[in-house]
Amino acid sequence: MAANTNRRSISMPFVSRARRVDPPSADPDRQTTPRGPRPSMVDSAIYAQGRRVASPRSLAETYRALDDTPDGVAWIGLYRPSEQELMSLAEEFGLHQLAIEDAIVAHQRPKLERYDGVLFVVLKAANYLDVPEEVDFGELHLFVGPNFVITVRHSESPDLSHVRQRMEHEPELLALGTQAILYAIIDAVVDAYSPVVAGLANDIDEIETQVFGGDALVSRRIYELSREVIDFQRATHPLTSVMIALEHGSEKYGVTQELQRGLRDVSDHLIQVNERVDGFRQLLRDILTVNSTLVSERQNEEMTRLAHSTHRQGEEVKKISSWAAILFAPSLVAGVYGMNFTHMPELAWPLGYPLAVVAMLGLSTVLYLVFRRRGWL
């Protein structure tokens, strides 16, 4: 069956953050079975005049329900769908083969492509994990047509249940169409960047404390956090071009002024995030430089202390060696005349003993004066 392309072009006022409501306990985007593999269709709904009129359980039921609903809009949420499911969607809604290939392969950077009347958008969601101090990234693909929105997730995040719940709680907004759903999803993804920015900022504050506290392991943490910041930049920076493309196409595709203002608000939020992240990367470079300087200073101080210690040891060795040499001189004379050989003429001299004592004292005195002059004593 062919997609109904005769439905009117849809636009709506953007959903402001101030009007958001907390999702209720019922969570249609988190339907899972307690046992067995998780189904690829997380949630599927047909909306008419902003209200859910059908909740199909399969793609085939969704196609039939959409054809049976005049001016209906299908919002299909899929989690890691099979190639066969994506090919079925492509045949039903006229999705371009290149976009289907991207959705199958995944691992795409944020981008926006327009294939005839269908937008293909890739978004990178981010979630900060406190315990490992890491940023967890999720990939989301969106196919947006005049009467359908298809979301394809390849990871647990982003959780789109709160977006669906918020839109369903404001049927007058949901009734205005697929462009509003697209911008509400982008807004939710960009909003989720704020906790990541806050988590990275907190980590940087802790690292600064470690650096000036002399933590030897801080260099590794700086490097790991720098990698996280770079990965985060890869998720946020390309999204800027997506927002610019959407803004440029707003008037051409009949997007209302209110929705355009909301889109600019999301762009401003994204710019702030990018500025903070760019600042984090530069700050981490500076912190790494400061840490290297501090490490070098500590090493120099340690080498200086070691050199002083070596010098003091050398002075002590000089003193010990000097006194050993001074004591060795009389010991040598006494040792010679203590051998008690029979033929030693000096033993019979009346002045032998005084001369020996004088020789010992004289040698010791000379050695003492020499060492003293050299600064050894």
Side-chain angles (χ1 to χ4, degrees):
M1 62 184 71
N4 184 357
T5 58
N6 295 324
R7 309 191 194 280
R8 62 188 175 86
S9 177
I10 302 172
S11 62
M12 62 161 281
F14 193 78
V15 185
S16 67
R17 296 183 179 86
R19 301 177 65 182
R20 290 182 181 171
V21 297
D22 294 333
S25 57
D27 194 346
D29 251 10
R30 285 187 174 275
Q31 296 173 0
T32 57
T33 55
R35 298 179 183 274
R38 178 174 180 170
S40 61
M41 180 178 286
V42 180
D43 192 12
S44 179
I46 304 298
Y47 299 97
Q49 301 302 318
R51 299 188 181 277
R52 184 188 286 243
V53 297
S55 299
R57 296 181 177 274
S58 67
L59 292 179
E61 290 183 18
T62 302
Y63 304 154
R64 290 194 295 268
L66 182 60
D67 282 345
D68 293 340
T69 306
D71 294 329
V73 173
W75 185 351
I76 305 171
L78 302 175
Y79 176 76
R80 294 181 179 175
S82 64
E83 183 176 349
Q84 291 75 14
E85 290 173 314
L86 290 175
M87 295 305 296
S88 173
L89 290 166
E91 182 179 355
E92 176 66 22
F93 295 111
L95 307 181
H96 198 279
Q97 185 62 32
L98 292 177
I100 293 297
E101 290 178 1
D102 287 343
I104 293 173
V105 176
H107 303 294
Q108 305 293 320
R109 68 197 300 269
K111 65 179 181 179
L112 181 147
E113 301 286 349
R114 183 177 292 276
Y115 300 98
D116 298 326
V118 178
L119 276 178
F120 175 63
V121 182
V122 179
L123 303 175
K124 286 281 191 180
N127 180 37
Y128 183 78
L129 305 178
D130 289 324
V131 176
E133 294 184 348
E134 295 178 353
V135 181
D136 180 51
F137 297 96
E139 189 167 333
L140 175 64
H141 297 180
L142 294 96
F143 298 89
V144 182
N147 67 328
F148 65 88
V149 175
I150 303 169
T151 60
V152 179
R153 291 189 293 130
H154 292 277
S155 58
E156 293 295 329
S157 62
D159 175 19
L160 299 179
S161 62
H162 67 284
V163 180
R164 189 186 291 265
Q165 291 285 343
R166 175 164 57 86
M167 298 294 286
E168 289 182 353
H169 275 79
E170 300 183 79
E172 70 282 2
L173 300 176
L174 183 56
L176 296 176
T178 58
Q179 290 288 333
I181 297 174
L182 168 63
Y183 293 146
I185 292 174
I186 295 176
D187 184 34
V189 170
V190 174
D191 277 350
Y193 290 157
S194 294
V196 179
V197 171
L200 293 174
N202 183 68
D203 287 344
I204 291 176
D205 290 341
E206 293 178 356
I207 284 176
E208 289 178 337
T209 302
Q210 285 182 275
V211 166
F212 292 101
D215 191 335
L217 301 179
V218 70
S219 295
R220 180 182 181 88
R221 189 179 180 188
I222 293 173
Y223 174 78
E224 292 175 349
L225 188 59
S226 297
R227 295 301 309 170
E228 295 295 327
V229 170
I230 292 173
D231 290 340
F232 191 35
Q233 282 184 313
R234 291 172 180 167
T236 61
H237 274 245
L239 188 54
T240 302
S241 61
V242 173
M243 303 303 296
I244 293 174
L246 287 174
E247 289 183 37
H248 289 171
S250 295
E251 294 185 2
K252 179 179 179 181
Y253 293 97
V255 178
T256 64
Q257 290 294 325
E258 184 65 24
L259 187 54
Q260 292 182 43
R261 283 193 289 268
L263 182 62
R264 286 192 293 271
D265 180 65
V266 176
S267 297
D268 291 341
H269 188 189
L270 180 62
I271 290 172
Q272 293 174 8
V273 170
N274 284 329
E275 288 176 349
R276 291 290 304 278
V277 176
D278 292 343
F280 288 162
R281 190 170 181 182
Q282 182 60 47
L283 183 58
L284 286 170
R285 288 199 194 102
D286 295 340
I287 291 175
L288 187 59
T289 301
V290 171
N291 182 63
S292 300
T293 302
L294 293 176
V295 169
S296 299
E297 289 179 354
R298 287 193 290 269
Q299 290 177 343
N300 291 336
E301 291 175 359
E302 186 63 27
M303 293 179 64
T304 301
R305 286 195 296 269
L306 182 60
H308 289 166
S309 177
T310 303
H311 177 72
R312 288 194 299 270
Q313 291 178 354
E315 293 299 318
E316 294 297 328
V317 169
K318 288 179 180 180
K319 291 180 180 180
I320 295 173
S321 301
S322 300
W323 286 112
I326 292 171
L327 295 176
F328 176 73
S331 299
L332 177 62
V333 175
V336 170
Y337 289 101
M339 292 186 291
N340 295 323
F341 288 112
T342 303
H343 301 288
M344 293 184 68
E346 296 86 350
L347 295 179
W349 291 354
L351 299 178
Y353 173 74
L355 290 176
V357 172
V358 170
M360 289 187 287
L361 291 176
L363 288 174
S364 298
T365 301
V366 170
L367 290 175
Y368 176 81
L369 294 175
V370 170
F371 292 139
R372 183 78 175 180
R373 185 174 182 179
R374 291 178 175 270
W376 288 28
L377 293 175

